[in-house]
Amino acid sequence: MPFLFPRVPTARLAIVVSAGLSVTLAPQSAGALDQATVVASSGGERLLDRLTAGSLVIAAERDGVTDPQDILAAAQADYRRMVHLLYASGYYSGTVNIRIDGREAAEIPPLNPPTRISVAEIRVNPGPRFTFGVAEIGPLATGSTPPEEFRAGQIARATVIADAADDAVDDWRAAGHPKVEIANQQVTANHPEQRLDARIGLAPGPVATFGTTTVQEGSAVRSTAIRRIAGVPEGTRYNPEDVARAAQRLRRTGAFRSVALTEADLLNPDNSLDIGIAVVDEAPRRYGFGAEIATDTGLGLNGFWMHRNVMGGAERFRVEGRVDGIGTDRGGLNYGLSARFDRPAVYGPDTGFFAVLGAEQLDEEFFLTERAFAGVGVTRTFSETLEGELGLQLEYARVTQRYLPPLPDGSFPRRDFTLVTLPGALTWDRRDDILNPTEGFYLRGEATPFFDVDGSDHGGRLRFDARIYQAFGENDGVVLAGRAQVGSVFGPDLLDIQPDLLFYSGGGGTVRGQPFQSLFVEQPGVRGIGGRSFVGFSGEVRAKVTDRISLVGFADAGYIGAESLYDGSGEWHSGAGLGLRYDTTVGPIRLDVAGPVGGDTGDGVQIYIGIGQAF
């Protein structure tokens, strides 16, 4: 939106010598500026800080610029920058003087700069601060009001005028008027009375509907699929939020490197507005690898391969493989291979379809599960931060029950499970960063009813995960992080539940400092079976030591019980320790060293290394 600042007579940009607050940066290197200074005769430290932060000369001194022509160009550009900063703070009769080695910068020919520049000095006399005499804007959309700062008697900051105009335009657009314009604007500075009068007139234009959505050629994704995914509601009343949501839907597929939605310059004769979509494809294929190591679980490796546009409709096909337990004496190798196919916008733009297929082996200390599964489901995006998933899955598992006494031949009993499950999840993610969050929260709830195809052992599994983060201190250098987990399995008796549906505690995902899956249910004749209830708490204090290195102190606690709902009859254990984080472009590298604090499930020190925060 164009905005005309109040005009200040150029004759007032004169040389002024005055005393006041100043900020001086130390010399950098030979050939660069020896000294660059901003001096303001009034206005206080806050204004001085703004002028200093906005000065190109100060930036040139800080960055060690040595070319005199570059320094002179920065000084000459600072006249305008200083005046605009004064306007933004409510000063409209100020004077600015910039001297380069004693010469007025405006008088030095740009093409004939000095051979060397040593000292640059910016002197500003802000003059009196202006207040609004008249502050009018209209007509306004129904329910719209100007900002409180845009009132007679308030400080007349130029930014307040611009914000009031922007807000009024946005309100009209939100009301269905995409071609609202600023019809006229009159901003007058009354210097004798130190008053600024601002009058802004708006021309809302007609109410519009969404017209035709066109897609620019050049993408490997079909135009029909792009329109379907974007979901611009053609024929309905215009709303800029619908345009923003359409762009976000396209970005969410991961198929595009860039997405741009543009509105036609003119309305159609029927007051409909055409929308154009231009996308740049992302590389269709991607792969990645990861690793994590801990003293109790050994080395774990994982990797994936993904295709972003398998069938020309921004469908995603992802294959993942993992192996862990390398080098550990607790159980054997765990490994798995799975594939998932996602198709966006199958029932409206925010509902997608997925299909999964996979197999895995879990060779734990107390059981061995060989499992295969296949399923389909739908995903739903409710907002930028809230999404859900619901599936239908068939799985078969053969379990070697090491938690039971061995048979006469020395082998352990085996049992087959064939289950139909309905896994569902709802995730509310308001974190500022997935791998290294410092603000916000994360809530996830999972519910998985299961039905025994071969018997009557029907039931369900519930799990909740809540995390919260708060940064404070200088430059948000300290982060407090907390986590609470609750799990429950209900329905069959404990021994009739597939063991990988039960809960254990201990290890990097639950209680650091306690050995992996070291807390379980104790029953006569049963060794190491998981519980039907789980409660876990974790807390961390993360403090930055340098820009990249942080120290972490943490404490975890976990509970396992035989009952479906917590009643205190189970056992608790806890651990605590210290950690180190080194920030990289892919997330912090994590090193945690922890030991047991409560409970009798472990002793000694456990070490955990991975990428990303522990939670």
Side-chain angles (χ1 to χ4, degrees):
M1 180 204 72
F3 177 72
L4 298 178
F5 287 96
R7 289 191 296 271
V8 173
T10 55
R12 297 190 64 82
L13 298 179
I15 298 175
V16 173
V17 179
S18 57
L21 296 168
S22 66
V23 171
T24 302
L25 301 183
Q28 294 288 320
S29 60
L33 273 171
D34 294 331
Q35 189 179 58
T37 307
V38 177
V39 178
S41 61
S42 61
E45 292 187 8
R46 181 173 297 182
L47 176 62
L48 179 65
D49 290 343
R50 290 175 181 169
L51 296 173
T52 303
S55 169
L56 295 176
V57 169
I58 294 294
E61 197 277 345
R62 181 182 61 243
D63 297 339
V65 175
T66 59
D67 188 337
Q69 190 164 10
D70 291 341
I71 298 172
L72 177 61
Q76 293 178 339
D78 264 350
Y79 284 108
R80 183 176 181 85
R81 292 175 70 89
M82 294 298 105
V83 170
H84 281 187
L85 289 168
L86 289 175
Y87 287 2
S89 298
Y91 298 93
Y92 296 91
S93 59
T95 56
V96 178
N97 165 233
I98 302 176
R99 286 185 173 273
I100 299 295
D101 287 335
R103 297 174 61 189
E104 187 67 26
E107 298 175 356
I108 300 176
L111 299 180
N112 188 25
T115 57
R116 188 183 189 283
I117 297 176
S118 299
V119 178
E121 183 182 54
I122 302 173
R123 288 188 171 271
V124 178
N125 180 6
R129 208 171 200 179
F130 283 48
T131 58
F132 285 116
V134 175
E136 297 177 353
I137 184 169
L140 299 176
T142 302
S144 176
T145 58
E148 288 295 325
E149 296 84 0
F150 191 62
R151 297 280 193 277
Q154 297 288 334
I155 296 173
R157 295 184 176 91
T159 51
V160 170
I161 304 174
D163 289 344
D166 288 342
D167 290 348
V169 167
D170 289 343
D171 290 341
W172 275 116
R173 285 174 57 82
H177 299 255
K179 296 307 177 182
V180 56
E181 295 180 346
I182 295 178
N184 58 78
Q185 51 185 337
Q186 297 177 353
V187 182
T188 306
N190 188 322
H191 292 275
E193 299 183 15
Q194 299 165 20
R195 189 185 74 211
L196 193 76
D197 295 335
R199 297 177 175 86
I200 301 174
L202 301 173
V207 173
T209 58
F210 284 111
T212 303
T213 302
T214 59
V215 179
Q216 181 178 306
E217 295 181 357
S219 173
V221 181
R222 295 187 303 273
S223 297
T224 54
I226 292 175
R227 284 194 293 269
R228 186 185 71 246
I229 296 168
V232 178
E234 296 181 6
T236 65
R237 186 166 179 160
Y238 169 85
N239 189 328
E241 292 185 2
D242 289 333
V243 179
R245 279 192 290 266
Q248 185 57 33
R249 291 181 188 118
L250 291 167
R251 296 186 185 102
R252 196 163 53 225
T253 65
F256 308 110
R257 183 173 303 170
S258 67
V259 175
L261 270 71
T262 56
E263 301 175 0
D265 293 334
L266 300 174
L267 296 178
N268 296 319
D270 61 352
N271 288 335
S272 63
L273 179 67
D274 294 338
I275 302 296
I277 300 178
V279 297
V280 176
D281 290 352
E282 187 61 88
R285 297 169 186 83
R286 181 187 175 192
Y287 61 89
F289 301 93
E292 191 163 3
I293 187 170
T295 50
D296 53 0
T297 58
L299 175 65
L301 303 173
N302 61 79
F304 72 89
W305 176 88
M306 181 175 67
H307 196 301
R308 292 186 169 99
N309 185 31
V310 180
M311 302 166 63
E315 303 91 352
R316 180 183 300 182
F317 181 67
R318 181 182 175 111
V319 179
E320 295 188 43
R322 65 173 181 83
V323 57
D324 55 52
I326 302 172
T328 181
D329 56 0
R330 302 178 64 90
L333 288 178
N334 298 331
Y335 52 83
L337 181 66
S338 63
R340 174 165 171 149
F341 172 81
D342 281 274
R343 185 175 190 268
V346 295
Y347 186 72
D350 294 315
T351 302
F353 166 83
F354 70 88
V356 294
L357 179 69
E360 64 178 356
Q361 172 180 289
L362 301 175
D363 190 357
E364 305 293 359
E365 182 177 2
F366 302 114
F367 64 89
L368 169 65
T369 296
E370 298 164 295
R371 173 174 172 262
F373 59 90
V376 295
V378 294
T379 60
R380 176 72 178 183
T381 301
F382 300 99
S383 71
E384 291 298 310
T385 59
L386 182 64
E387 60 183 23
E389 185 171 291
L390 181 63
L392 174 64
Q393 187 165 292
L394 175 65
E395 62 178 75
Y396 167 79
R398 170 167 290 181
V399 177
T400 302
Q401 298 169 303
R402 295 170 178 165
Y403 47 80
L404 294 177
L407 299 173
D409 62 359
S411 65
F412 288 98
R414 286 187 175 182
R415 180 173 177 180
D416 294 342
F417 294 86
T418 303
L419 302 178
V420 174
T421 66
L422 295 171
L426 191 64
T427 304
W428 191 12
D429 192 347
R430 296 291 299 271
R431 294 173 294 180
D432 58 348
D433 188 291
I434 294 176
L435 289 176
N436 190 20
T438 60
E439 295 279 356
F441 61 84
Y442 171 92
L443 299 174
R444 180 176 174 85
E446 300 175 6
T448 306
F450 55 83
F451 304 91
D452 184 3
V453 174
D454 300 324
S456 58
D457 293 328
H458 314 309
R461 188 177 194 263
L462 300 174
R463 187 178 180 104
F464 300 94
D465 188 354
R467 312 174 193 181
I468 188 169
Y469 310 88
Q470 180 62 58
F472 62 95
E474 185 177 355
N475 297 322
D476 291 335
V478 177
V479 177
L480 296 182
R483 183 183 192 185
Q485 301 180 79
V486 178
S488 174
V489 180
F490 56 90
D493 293 334
L494 189 63
L495 295 178
D496 293 325
I497 300 174
Q498 189 172 314
D500 53 290
L501 293 176
L502 298 173
F503 298 102
Y504 293 83
S505 183
T510 52
V511 178
R512 289 164 288 182
Q514 297 285 356
F516 180 66
Q517 294 188 349
S518 58
L519 185 61
F520 39 79
V521 171
E522 299 284 358
Q523 288 190 347
V526 180
R527 185 180 73 96
I529 192 169
R532 294 200 298 173
S533 61
F534 165 68
V535 178
F537 297 102
S538 298
E540 289 192 348
V541 180
R542 308 168 185 166
K544 276 192 172 295
V545 178
T546 69
D547 288 342
R548 289 187 174 270
I549 299 175
S550 299
L551 294 178
V552 179
F554 58 86
D556 304 332
Y559 168 91
I560 296 293
E563 73 285 0
S564 292
L565 297 177
Y566 174 84
D567 63 6
S569 62
E571 297 292 335
W572 285 89
H573 67 169
S574 58
L578 297 174
L580 187 68
R581 307 287 186 268
Y582 182 79
D583 290 344
T584 69
T585 55
V586 296
I589 297 175
R590 179 180 77 256
L591 168 64
D592 286 338
V593 180
V597 174
D600 58 1
T601 55
D603 53 37
V605 172
Q606 306 291 334
I607 299 174
Y608 310 90
I609 300 174
I611 296 177
Q613 297 289 355
F615 62 88

